[in-house]
Amino acid sequence: MRSTRLLFLATLLTLANLLSAQDFKKQIIYQIVTDRFVDGDTSNDNPSESAGLFDSTHSNWYAYWGGDLAGIQQKMSYLKGMGVTAIWISPSVNNENLNLNSNTPISAPYHGYDARDFMQVEEHFGDSSNSWTAFDNLVSAAHSNGIKVIVDWANNHSNYNGGGEFGALYNNGTFMASDSNDPNGYFHHNPNISNYNDRYQLQYYTLLSLEDLNQENATIDGYLKTAVHQFQSHGVDAFRLDAIKHVTWGWEYSFANSVFTQAPSFLYGEWYNNNSGDPMYHDAYKFANKSGINELDFGVNQAVRDVFASNNNFSELDGTISGENANFAWNNDQVTFFDSHDESRFLTLNNNNNRLHEAMAYLLTTRGIPVILYGDEQYLHNDTSGGGDPYCRVWMSSFNTSTTAYQLINKLAGLRQSSNDALAYGSYQQRWINNDVYIYERQFFNDVVLVAINKNDSSSYPISGLYTALPAGTYSDYLGGLLGGSGLTVSSGSGGNNPANNFTLPAHTVAVWQTTGTPSAPEVGSIGPTIGQPGIKVTIAGRGLGSTTGQVLLGATAASIQSWADSSVTFTVPNVSNGVYQTQLKNSSGTAANTIPFTVLTAALIPVTFTVNNATPTNTGDYIFVTGSTVELGSWGTTFDTAIGPMLDPNYPNWFLNAALPGGATVQFKFIKIAANGTVTWENGSNHQYTVPTSGTGYVTVNWQY
Ligand code: NOJ
Ligand code: NOJ
């Protein structure tokens, strides 16, 4: 009896952990450069495997400084007290062992982006046997404090090809290949990328001299997927995917699918500069909308820095966010940040703590999942040479829990985590704006959060003509005046637009007013992952879903329910035909929630490289795409967003592309030209047909049919 109950409890705990993993919208992420946080274990400072890369004086910014996994583990209560619910740590795989550049005193991969062995843990972060002990200890300490673990993961490359170990890659200690010894084609061996607007170079050339992995090689494909599964089996909840613009895009769809097939997870990637000024912008949001991989929000990053640090007008931020919301389907899954390990810290740009607080308050209340860079809550910055990489990777020299920033993060984290679903799931609407003042509202059904920011350092502003969805009543500042805010009175209006009484917003103020409603029907705010084949587990989150099991319908088919709680339901994708479904949840009394889209794949994804030789001629701006009979091939779509492509033409008029196709399925397809003006030209003849392998990687080559 007792052991049954214990088993039951253990199952419940495991389930709870699994369930929340896929819905990251309530998380507050804290980014840690592992080497620069806390030296929790001095025995790994200068390990013999890679001796001489450590600088105990912390004066060489390119050396290891001693921070490690044990150090992060020691700071759990500091993190928990701040309200952080997820930590994003440096790539933790075994990195290369030698000085990267023999002309400099020490140039070490302290940041983790120079892997030598994806199957092992780096000895400077763990221990000299590259064992999992420190990693496992960190994961269990984090989990027992309610903190999820996100590992940075670089699929694009091994390590520097111009020194050190020259790209050498190992599989759990066994040599696989290096730049000059690669008989099996594990690497691409192309020059460095010179044109960042060329899709072929982006994916197949070398990024910053980092030895470029060939993911279409079945051994590398299997190696990277096995390695990420190993990290999942050690309890990793989510991954930040490095340099996703530079990894073969179609292969990444298959990688994401492989992660979700293994266990619930959350993925977000670095598509460096996914904003409207980037010629690859359309590719960036198409990728985010279709792959199951969300993106770091570089548009908001730039706009927040411009507006709060450089004092640009709020219209820049408002325009950026409304543009992105129109293009990114999964807005609330975008990962927002204003500082990172790759750019000058905010306080380097403008050493003004008020502005930092205002930017933090914005980040923690805007749409998307916020990331706080370690040390921002302690006002740390080093301004050497403009404070960029590596000077933004400061040593975490202070852990004061009474800073205003620490308190602010704590308060707004609490609002997002547990009390008001508007922050995690809500819409975003501008309510009042001038150059210095921005008032915006988040709303999820009857949950409303209204935020007012005046970034002017000395002038107050009278606010009149403000409308809100907050019901008539009086609201106190949720921040309790921490950033100078006070109460708000609202009268009743109509159509969700209630007039607020006139008030004055003092200089450098943030006020947050909010309310929560009681749902009368189930309210769905999230689904994760957004794409998958029959059999994988998917979580729907929201509120008022009820405490007894209801139904989840994909078309007319009811899914089998794994678990059902008031805020979260997990189901298994039923055996329905592939396509996009408006998933319909009903509570146990049959009351329907709002629907949410989910893409059912035909089967688990396999990377397949398509080549079409001697395709129809194109002019600048015209591209060849592939389109075909299953959702993986765009369901015969003929637009930029629905067909698969653009294909790549390094050997024009031959075009090729790697795409992710359903393993074991027989698919029909054709190639099309989509001209710059959208005109579609189909190749002639009957459809091509191909049966996708059930494992490894596939290749198909055909001639364009005239
Ligand atoms: C982007 C990472 O954020 C950066 O720090 C790293 O050096 C490059 N990708 C290469 O991995
Ligand atoms: C690349 C161009 O950008 C594309 O538009 C064109 O179709 C091919 N080259 C062939 O000219």
Side-chain angles (χ1 to χ4, degrees):
M1 182 65 197
R2 184 147 186 221
S3 63
T4 323
R5 185 175 294 163
L6 275 179
L7 190 69
F8 177 62
L9 264 181
T11 315
L12 265 188
L13 282 174
T14 321
L15 258 181
N17 224 1
L18 281 178
L19 292 185
S20 40
Q22 302 184 15
D23 178 18
F24 249 66
K25 296 179 194 64
K26 291 195 171 180
Q27 307 309 319
I28 293 85
I29 301 173
Y30 185 76
Q31 183 191 356
I32 295 173
V33 174
T34 304
D35 178 61
R36 301 291 157 93
F37 199 58
V38 176
D39 189 351
D41 177 2
T42 52
S43 75
N44 65 16
D45 285 353
N46 194 16
S48 55
E49 177 184 339
S50 47
L53 303 179
F54 172 61
D55 174 15
S56 63
T57 67
H58 298 181
S59 47
N60 178 346
W61 289 76
Y62 297 91
Y64 283 102
W65 285 3
D68 50 29
L69 298 165
I72 300 171
Q73 188 187 335
Q74 285 174 11
K75 292 298 172 187
M76 281 304 141
S77 61
Y78 172 83
L79 297 171
K80 189 176 181 181
M82 196 176 6
V84 163
T85 63
I87 48 173
W88 153 16
I89 64 177
S90 299
S92 306
V93 298
N94 191 358
N95 264 242
E96 85 147 276
N97 292 334
L98 304 175
N99 192 350
L100 296 171
N101 181 347
S102 44
N103 298 323
T104 59
I106 303 176
S107 183
Y110 69 91
H111 40 67
Y113 296 105
D114 283 69
R116 79 195 292 275
D117 196 330
F118 287 76
M119 296 296 292
Q120 298 181 342
V121 174
E122 166 58 32
E123 66 277 5
H124 287 88
F125 299 162
D127 60 51
S128 57
S129 345
N130 302 101
S131 87
W132 288 85
T133 309
F135 191 89
D136 291 341
N137 290 342
L138 170 62
V139 170
S140 51
H143 286 173
S144 59
N145 282 283
I147 293 176
K148 298 183 193 308
V149 177
I150 307 169
V151 171
D152 206 318
W153 188 263
N155 278 319
N156 179 65
H157 52 264
S158 56
N159 52 70
Y160 182 52
N161 66 17
E165 297 194 57
F166 294 93
L169 182 69
Y170 295 79
N171 182 357
N172 207 10
T174 303
F175 177 80
M176 294 176 76
S178 67
D179 184 54
S180 59
N181 179 8
D182 181 19
N184 299 313
Y186 294 162
F187 300 116
H188 282 135
H189 305 287
N190 287 320
N192 272 331
I193 300 166
S194 53
N195 179 359
Y196 279 81
N197 300 326
D198 178 311
R199 294 182 181 88
Y200 176 66
Q201 285 198 21
L202 284 177
Q203 297 172 71
Y204 290 90
Y205 276 29
T206 299
L207 174 66
L208 308 165
S209 302
L210 294 161
E211 189 70 6
D212 202 53
L213 286 162
N214 175 10
Q215 292 85 7
E216 284 152 287
N217 177 292
T219 302
I220 294 301
D221 168 67
Y223 171 77
L224 291 171
K225 289 171 181 170
T226 303
V228 80
H229 293 166
Q230 183 175 228
F231 273 81
Q232 288 183 278
S233 72
H234 284 271
V236 174
D237 300 286
F239 296 90
R240 178 269 191 187
L241 302 179
D242 186 59
I244 54 169
K245 185 163 66 173
H246 302 291
V247 180
T248 305
W249 301 344
W251 180 82
E252 291 180 290
Y253 285 50
S254 78
F255 177 83
N257 177 250
S258 156
V259 168
F260 297 135
T261 302
Q262 175 75 5
S265 193
F266 179 79
L267 301 175
Y268 62 101
E270 178 214 21
W271 186 297
Y272 180 72
N273 238 338
N274 61 357
N275 66 39
S276 55
D278 178 359
M280 293 291 114
Y281 180 58
H282 199 163
D283 299 78
Y285 68 76
K286 178 179 179 179
F287 184 92
N289 293 349
K290 305 249 165 167
S291 63
I293 301 170
N294 298 291
E295 289 175 12
L296 282 158
D297 191 336
F298 282 91
V300 165
N301 170 273
Q302 190 61 53
V304 168
R305 293 164 73 88
D306 288 349
V307 167
F308 291 96
S310 310
N311 207 31
N312 286 9
N313 295 340
F314 266 123
S315 54
E316 177 181 338
L317 184 52
D318 192 55
T320 297
I321 203 145
S322 61
E324 286 196 13
N325 287 353
N327 291 320
F328 284 84
W330 306 102
N331 289 316
N332 283 323
D333 286 302
Q334 288 248 89
V335 177
T336 53
F337 65 108
F338 60 76
D339 273 351
S340 76
H341 63 308
D342 286 334
E343 56 195 340
S344 322
R345 287 185 182 243
F346 185 98
L347 290 178
T348 294
L349 300 178
N350 184 353
N351 194 11
N352 176 333
N353 288 359
N354 288 329
R355 288 294 180 81
L356 179 77
H357 296 149
E358 292 152 16
M360 276 183 177
Y362 180 75
L363 191 78
L364 291 160
T365 53
T366 189
R367 68 98 181 94
I369 303 161
V371 180
I372 301 289
L373 179 63
Y374 81 100
D376 271 4
E377 77 282 15
Q378 300 295 335
Y379 312 107
L380 299 180
H381 58 109
N382 181 299
D383 303 338
T384 308
S385 307
D389 167 11
Y391 304 103
C392 51
R393 302 163 180 186
V394 298
W395 183 250
M396 185 67 180
S397 49
S398 151
F399 290 90
N400 179 352
T401 57
S402 59
T403 67
T404 300
Y406 186 95
Q407 301 301 326
L408 176 68
I409 296 165
N410 170 281
K411 281 194 186 266
L412 290 174
L415 189 61
R416 175 177 288 263
Q417 260 280 302
S418 46
S419 42
N420 191 314
D421 282 350
L423 293 186
Y425 307 140
S427 58
Y428 184 100
Q429 186 187 0
Q430 183 242 104
R431 285 294 196 172
W432 205 101
I433 190 165
N434 70 19
N435 293 347
D436 289 332
V437 173
Y438 193 33
I439 305 182
Y440 54 95
E441 189 162 77
R442 309 291 316 284
Q443 182 173 11
F444 180 67
F445 295 94
N446 296 320
D447 285 10
V448 180
V449 177
L450 182 68
V451 182
I453 305 177
N454 175 4
K455 71 177 166 72
N456 194 295
D457 292 317
S458 51
S459 305
S460 62
Y461 282 95
I463 309 294
S464 62
L466 171 67
Y467 289 86
T468 173
L470 289 167
T474 298
Y475 298 86
S476 58
D477 172 30
Y478 179 81
L479 297 176
L482 185 68
L483 300 185
S486 47
L488 182 78
T489 302
V490 175
S491 318
S492 56
S494 61
N497 294 309
N498 299 324
N501 287 7
N502 294 350
F503 64 99
T504 297
L505 196 59
H508 56 76
T509 288
V510 178
V512 177
W513 305 290
Q514 61 96 30
T515 188
T516 53
T518 311
S520 51
E523 300 170 347
V524 164
S526 168
I527 191 161
T530 54
I531 177 166
Q533 69 278 19
I536 76 155
K537 291 190 177 61
V538 176
T539 298
I540 287 183
R543 48 189 291 168
L545 311 182
S547 52
T548 40
T549 301
Q551 269 193 318
V552 173
L553 296 161
L554 279 81
T557 308
S560 108
I561 304 297
Q562 304 296 313
S563 69
W564 191 288
D566 193 58
S567 61
S568 171
V569 164
T570 295
F571 67 92
T572 306
V573 177
N575 215 335
V576 291
S577 53
N578 66 85
V580 179
Y581 288 78
Q582 291 299 325
T583 309
Q584 173 72 77
L585 180 144
K586 290 181 177 172
N587 68 14
S588 58
S589 14
T591 309
N594 52 308
T595 60
I596 193 161
F598 180 81
T599 300
V600 177
L601 297 170
T602 318
L605 299 178
I606 298 286
V608 173
T609 305
F610 287 89
T611 302
V612 56
N613 287 327
N614 191 25
T616 191
T618 51
N619 294 310
T620 301
D622 303 347
Y623 293 101
I624 304 296
F625 287 70
V626 57
T627 187
S629 58
T630 67
V631 75
E632 294 83 357
L633 279 166
S635 305
W636 298 117
T638 57
T639 63
F640 189 100
D641 287 289
T642 55
I644 310 307
M647 297 181 75
L648 311 171
D649 63 342
N651 301 310
Y652 185 84
N654 304 337
W655 297 72
F656 88 101
L657 183 77
N658 183 262
L661 289 207
T666 297
V667 296
Q668 312 269 318
F669 61 97
K670 265 196 167 180
F671 297 93
I672 56 175
K673 172 170 85 174
I674 304 181
N677 67 4
T679 305
V680 175
T681 307
W682 288 82
E683 63 168 327
N684 283 319
S686 46
N687 297 335
H688 305 285
Q689 184 170 301
Y690 175 66
T691 300
V692 183
T694 51
S695 64
T697 58
Y699 293 85
V700 205
T701 301
V702 298
N703 294 319
W704 179 279
Q705 297 172 154
Y706 286 94

